[in-house]
Amino acid sequence: MASSIQGYDEERFASTVNRNFLCLICFNVLKDPVLCPRNQHCFCRGCITKHLENSRRCPTCAEELTVETLAEPNRMVKDYLNELKIHCVYNNRGCHEILQLQHLDNHEATCGFTPTVCTNQGCGATLNQRDLIHHQSELCEFRKLKCHSCGEMEKRMANLEQNMERNAADMEGKLEAVNNEVRGLKTALIEGFDEMKDVLVKMEDKTEENTRKVRNTASGDKENIIVAGGTWNDSVEMFNWRQRTWSPLRSLPKKRFGASSFVYNNHVTIAGGCCSSYVDDMIRMNINPNPDLSMHWSECPVKLPAKLVSHSSVLYKDHLIVTGGKNRNAVSDCIHEVQLVPPYTAKILSRMPERRQHHSTQLFDDNLLIVGGRTTDRHQDSLSSVVLYDMKKNECKQLAPLPYEVNEMATVRWGDNIVVIGGIDKRGEALDTVIIYNVKTEQSHLLPSMRCERYGCAAVVIGSNIIVLGGHNGQGTKSVETFNFESYTWQELPEMSQGRLFPTAVVV
């Protein structure tokens, strides 16, 4: 979000500001505050206006909201904000004024430390407004000065011109000799150029070939998405982000859905899921140098700690951290660590506060964020809870919940945020909503909704784009769409060859 519509940075204030007076979108001190009339959620006018360009819901409580229905805060809120003591925005330029917020605009409009540019032609220096006149008239090296010795200078210039004419005549003879020498060198260079030309062409071809190899490796630009399986589906295909094209890869040995996947040691690995029955095995495909139809799936020596479906996993160093999932008729509350190097052991690290399946996890340094899901096979038992598992301290901590209960959603990490995409609510209804939840502030708000409702989808990130693949919107869908954080909009992408419900996807 552009800084011009954000609130005031907390660090500018002379004392700590009550957290209730922070905008729930930019998390700064409120600037021109307005309210969601239903639940009194407070935002900067600029922040919420920008949000409502792409949504008609409150980003905190998801109630219907428009610019026209925004409410003004009461006088106590305005009085509190107006009386806050704040540093001038030009404090770093030398202004040490601390004044009430209500007087800030008037002060900054006339502040002597406002940056301004010298107008002397050729200068362009930036300096404080109060120093401008002195600089332009006394200090600037590009200022215009009146000459007091013009007559003397004219005489000197005349003598200089005479000397230059004499020297020019001498130089002509020397220049001709130099020209002759240059002509000889030029002839020699032309003769040698033909011999070097073939060598240079070969070197350029080799360089281009090497560059192409680096660009296309799995550890290079990472512009390919591999999506695999889905309900009663064994097909695998790859999407090239740059070219916007799909290509088939070798099918899975068995139809598989509800699994998790990751990239480790140049292999795409798929863990667990359901292949007519729940499984604990892992299969993998080598993607070095490039994945194509010649690459086969093979058994991996590592196994999950149990036969699991609808679990979630993240790669942490040389381990796979596996949370929850369904094992036969029981939903797990375990957090397991599976070693991906010999001896391939597995152990329970901890237990979550609730059992959960169809949830999601994302890794933030040494912390595992666990969101949503459900405790049984019923959507009524969906969860809004958010749990942070500290792997160094080996302890779970409950964070502020999501705005609503959700399961069978996709998630991606975006900076210090987890983005929760689609899913099913506790009423069993498919969602098109997208939430961004900040791990540090535990605040969340809505992003623009997807173009269609979907659950059981997969999602990945490439650059500043979230790509959402498949899922269910009445039927297993081939649909693929992308959200760009710069344009703040969703866009359709070329669809997959088959509809996929509960597939897995990775970026390589």
Side-chain angles (χ1 to χ4, degrees):
M1 187 172 292
S3 60
S4 61
I5 60 174
Q6 286 184 335
Y8 301 100
D9 191 329
E10 280 188 84
E11 295 182 358
R12 291 182 58 190
F13 289 85
S15 59
T16 302
V17 180
N18 189 301
R19 306 297 293 177
N20 292 321
F21 294 89
L22 301 186
C23 172
L24 294 175
I25 293 179
C26 69
F27 306 116
N28 289 326
V29 178
L30 290 163
K31 182 177 184 179
D32 191 9
V34 289
L35 301 174
C36 164
R38 179 66 63 89
N39 293 310
Q40 302 294 300
H41 294 126
C42 211
F43 311 96
C44 301
R45 186 183 298 275
C47 292
I48 190 64
T49 300
K50 178 67 175 177
H51 169 80
L52 293 175
E53 291 177 2
N54 299 289
S55 174
R56 295 179 63 85
R57 294 183 180 276
C58 173
T60 301
C61 64
E63 293 288 345
E64 287 194 8
L65 184 65
T66 65
V67 173
E68 291 74 19
T69 58
L70 289 170
E72 294 290 332
N74 60 42
R75 179 171 295 278
M76 292 180 64
V77 173
K78 292 184 177 180
D79 288 347
Y80 174 84
L81 290 170
N82 283 337
E83 293 173 5
L84 289 174
K85 296 294 185 65
I86 187 171
H87 289 273
C88 173
V89 72
Y90 304 120
N91 177 264
N92 62 342
R93 299 187 62 85
C95 181
H96 300 302
E97 287 288 334
I98 301 177
L99 57 157
Q100 288 186 334
L101 187 58
Q102 60 186 326
H103 303 309
L104 181 64
D105 289 343
N106 289 338
H107 167 77
E108 290 180 350
T110 58
C111 180
F113 292 88
T114 303
T116 187
V117 178
C118 175
T119 57
N120 287 339
Q121 186 174 0
C123 180
T126 300
L127 54 152
N128 293 333
Q129 178 67 43
R130 68 177 191 173
D131 301 325
L132 179 62
I133 295 176
H134 180 65
H135 168 83
Q136 288 179 325
S137 60
E138 301 294 334
L139 303 178
C140 181
E141 61 179 308
F142 295 94
R143 68 189 185 279
K144 295 181 179 180
L145 300 176
K146 183 177 180 180
C147 180
H148 299 286
S149 305
C150 286
E152 182 65 26
M153 289 296 294
E154 287 178 357
K155 293 179 181 179
R156 292 183 181 180
M157 288 298 295
N159 292 333
L160 182 60
E161 289 176 0
Q162 292 176 1
N163 291 334
M164 289 179 64
E165 289 175 358
R166 288 194 295 268
N167 292 336
D170 294 337
M171 289 295 295
E172 285 181 3
K174 296 178 180 179
L175 183 60
E176 182 61 29
V178 171
N179 284 338
N180 291 335
E181 186 175 351
V182 169
R183 292 188 190 98
L185 290 172
K186 184 177 180 180
T187 301
L189 285 172
I190 291 173
E191 292 173 353
F193 177 77
D194 289 337
E195 297 178 4
M196 294 181 63
K197 186 175 181 180
D198 291 339
V199 176
L200 290 171
V201 169
K202 291 178 181 178
M203 289 177 64
E204 288 177 358
D205 291 343
K206 189 66 176 178
T207 300
E208 183 177 350
E209 179 184 353
N210 291 337
T211 301
R212 185 166 56 251
K213 288 181 179 179
V214 171
R215 184 182 298 121
N216 291 331
T217 58
S219 59
D221 290 341
K222 291 192 175 182
E223 61 179 24
N224 295 310
I225 304 169
I226 293 179
V227 58
T231 303
W232 314 125
N233 196 327
D234 61 359
S235 69
V236 183
E237 51 191 317
M238 181 171 67
F239 182 71
N240 184 281
W241 172 255
R242 190 184 303 273
Q243 299 175 2
R244 299 292 202 272
T245 55
W246 286 98
S247 56
L249 296 178
R250 183 77 62 171
S251 295
L252 302 174
K254 295 180 181 179
K255 297 175 180 179
R256 186 183 296 242
F257 69 92
S260 62
S261 59
F262 57 95
V263 178
Y264 179 72
N265 282 352
N266 290 322
H267 285 79
V268 173
T269 303
I270 299 177
C274 182
C275 304
S276 72
S277 62
Y278 300 169
V279 296
D280 59 0
D281 69 333
M282 298 189 194
I283 56 174
R284 62 186 180 181
M285 179 176 68
N286 191 341
I287 55 173
N288 185 28
N290 294 303
D292 56 36
L293 278 170
S294 67
M295 301 296 189
H296 291 264
W297 292 93
S298 61
E299 288 291 331
C300 180
V302 189
K303 289 186 179 294
L304 292 178
K307 295 179 178 181
L308 292 173
V309 69
S310 305
H311 57 286
S312 184
S313 66
V314 297
L315 189 64
Y316 180 67
K317 299 178 181 177
D318 289 322
H319 299 85
L320 189 68
I321 309 300
V322 183
T323 61
K326 187 176 181 182
N327 177 14
R328 296 181 181 176
N329 295 321
V331 178
S332 172
D333 62 355
C334 294
I335 301 175
H336 283 98
E337 178 187 78
V338 181
Q339 196 170 354
L340 298 177
V341 294
Y344 308 120
T345 56
K347 65 179 181 180
I348 294 179
L349 295 177
S350 184
R351 293 185 181 273
M352 298 178 287
E354 307 106 336
R355 301 175 183 273
R356 62 180 79 208
Q357 62 174 328
H358 291 296
H359 58 294
S360 190
T361 56
Q362 292 293 334
L363 187 65
F364 292 82
D365 299 324
D366 296 314
N367 296 293
L368 189 67
L369 194 73
I370 307 166
V371 300
R374 62 177 189 251
T375 57
T376 68
D377 287 335
R378 302 184 309 168
H379 295 301
Q380 298 96 308
D381 297 319
S382 295
L383 299 168
S384 62
S385 60
V386 178
V387 176
L388 187 72
Y389 172 62
D390 188 321
M391 283 183 279
K392 287 190 173 180
K393 296 180 180 179
N394 192 27
E395 61 184 26
C396 288
K397 174 185 175 183
Q398 288 276 12
L399 301 186
L402 300 175
Y404 50 82
E405 295 85 357
V406 63
N407 70 96
E408 297 185 13
M409 68 290 189
T411 67
V412 296
R413 177 181 173 179
W414 182 257
D416 291 328
N417 306 280
I418 185 171
V419 181
V420 182
I421 304 161
I424 296 182
D425 63 17
K426 65 180 180 180
R427 295 170 295 184
E429 296 182 1
L431 303 173
D432 60 2
T433 51
V434 183
I435 309 168
I436 185 166
Y437 180 101
N438 187 278
V439 179
K440 293 184 177 179
T441 65
E442 302 179 37
Q443 300 282 344
S444 63
H445 65 271
L446 294 173
L447 294 178
S449 297
M450 291 185 289
R451 299 169 71 92
C452 67
E453 299 168 345
R454 63 176 85 212
Y455 63 89
C457 54
V460 296
V461 171
I462 294 181
S464 58
N465 305 280
I466 298 175
I467 299 94
V468 183
L469 308 103
H472 199 282
N473 60 356
Q475 59 182 0
T477 180
K478 305 175 183 178
S479 167
V480 182
E481 57 182 305
T482 178
F483 177 76
N484 181 269
F485 276 95
E486 295 176 359
S487 65
Y488 220 62
T489 57
W490 287 92
Q491 178 185 356
E492 289 284 350
L493 292 176
E495 63 182 21
M496 299 178 289
S497 64
Q498 299 185 33
R500 298 182 187 275
L501 176 61
F502 301 117
T504 65
V506 293
V507 177
V508 299

